[in-house]
Amino acid sequence: MQPRSRAERHGLVHKEALEKARLRHRSGGFFRYEDIQNPVAVLSDSPAFLGRRGWMTAGPACEEVNYAKREHAKVMRDEKTEARRARNYEREEHRLRAMDANERAMAERVERLQADPMMGRKNISGQHGFNLINQTYESSPAGACLQHHDAMIRYKAKVRAANLAMRGHLGFNPILGEQTYGISLPPPPKPPSLTRGDWDDSRSTRSMSSTRSAPSMRTGGPQAWTDGFRAAGAPGRHTGRAHW
């Protein structure tokens, strides 16, 4: 806080000046007193303001002053118009350059995808390795793998059915003490040989071998089915858990 001068101290002697000083320094959101030296003075930014030099301007000099103001306002208006035009021009140029860059990027992407031989492999309709139109597997390693996977699913389903049948004593006659109804279990499917590319031959060989082996199990009657099923490692009636 700056110390008061002698004139300020003498001015606070009167009660009115002291109250004005207290109002000027009042805080807490209350009305603050504004110290206006000349109540009839005109603000400098008001159209009615006239400087000290303008008091002596008279006659044709007044028109010259008014003409200079009008010319200045015209120049400022032209400057604002040019600035707005330049801003709009730059914005339009930026938009056109962005559109051109986007089109060039799309063209480069198409060229890059067309030049890459691995991109065409993604254009595969339906299941990979299986033709949905004719419902057949493709003659390819992917088709052979998918066929073997489906065959293993069917084989596991049959193993589970045989396991439940043996645990439920299906086909066993307690009066005769023998298995009157045989429980069959096909051999597990073998994966085709994909190294030589002869998955069709291996598939046909597997089917022929399975058809040959099936009658050999049927020749022994129901007891031969049961013995062959237990000898193959499938779960019997007294096993603790299923062997998948």
Side-chain angles (χ1 to χ4, degrees):
M1 183 177 180
Q2 298 295 333
R4 296 174 181 176
S5 61
R6 181 176 297 178
E8 292 178 352
R9 291 197 304 270
H10 290 173
L12 295 177
V13 174
H14 302 284
K15 183 178 180 181
E16 183 180 358
L18 181 61
E19 291 179 353
K20 289 181 179 180
R22 290 177 179 176
L23 288 175
R24 282 195 303 268
H25 298 86
R26 193 175 185 182
S27 61
F30 298 97
F31 173 76
R32 296 180 63 87
Y33 174 77
E34 298 180 0
D35 187 13
I36 301 176
Q37 299 296 334
N38 187 4
V40 297
V42 181
L43 299 178
S44 59
D45 54 351
S46 175
F49 176 76
L50 185 63
R52 300 287 295 181
R53 297 177 58 183
W55 291 358
M56 306 303 295
T57 304
C62 295
E63 182 59 27
E64 294 179 358
V65 173
N66 295 334
Y67 176 77
K69 289 182 179 180
R70 289 195 299 269
E71 290 296 325
H72 178 71
K74 186 185 299 183
V75 170
M76 293 299 297
R77 185 174 62 251
D78 295 342
E79 290 292 334
K80 291 180 180 179
T81 304
E82 289 297 325
R84 183 170 62 252
R85 186 195 65 81
R87 183 172 63 253
N88 295 339
Y89 176 78
E90 290 294 334
R91 182 171 57 188
E92 188 68 15
E93 284 291 327
H94 177 72
R95 186 180 68 86
L96 295 177
R97 286 194 296 268
M99 292 176 57
D100 184 66
N102 188 19
E103 292 178 359
R104 284 189 282 103
M106 291 296 295
E108 292 176 358
R109 179 177 179 273
V110 171
E111 294 178 358
R112 186 176 66 256
L113 295 179
Q114 291 177 354
D116 192 357
M118 299 300 294
M119 288 300 174
R121 299 182 52 141
K122 296 182 180 180
N123 189 14
I124 299 175
S125 59
Q127 177 66 34
H128 183 51
F130 186 79
N131 194 341
L132 298 177
I133 304 301
N134 53 13
Q135 299 293 319
T136 56
Y137 296 97
E138 296 180 357
S139 300
S140 61
C145 292
L146 184 61
Q147 182 183 10
H148 176 68
H149 181 266
D150 296 343
M152 288 299 299
I153 292 177
R154 290 189 292 268
Y155 173 73
K156 290 179 180 180
K158 293 180 180 179
V159 170
R160 182 176 182 274
N163 182 23
L164 295 177
M166 293 299 297
R167 289 179 180 274
H169 308 285
L170 179 64
F172 181 77
N173 193 343
I175 298 177
L176 301 178
E178 62 181 7
Q179 189 80 15
T180 58
Y181 179 77
I183 301 175
S184 63
L185 182 65
K190 298 181 180 179
S193 177
L194 303 180
T195 56
R196 299 188 302 270
D198 52 349
W199 46 85
D200 292 333
D201 298 339
S202 61
R203 182 170 53 188
S204 60
T205 305
R206 185 177 68 251
S207 61
M208 293 176 61
S209 61
S210 61
T211 53
R212 283 198 221 90
S213 58
S216 61
M217 296 180 63
R218 297 194 187 95
T219 54
Q223 189 64 30
W225 281 97
T226 306
D227 297 341
F229 175 71
R230 293 179 178 177
R237 290 181 298 176
H238 303 287
T239 55
R241 58 179 182 176
H243 299 276
W244 303 100

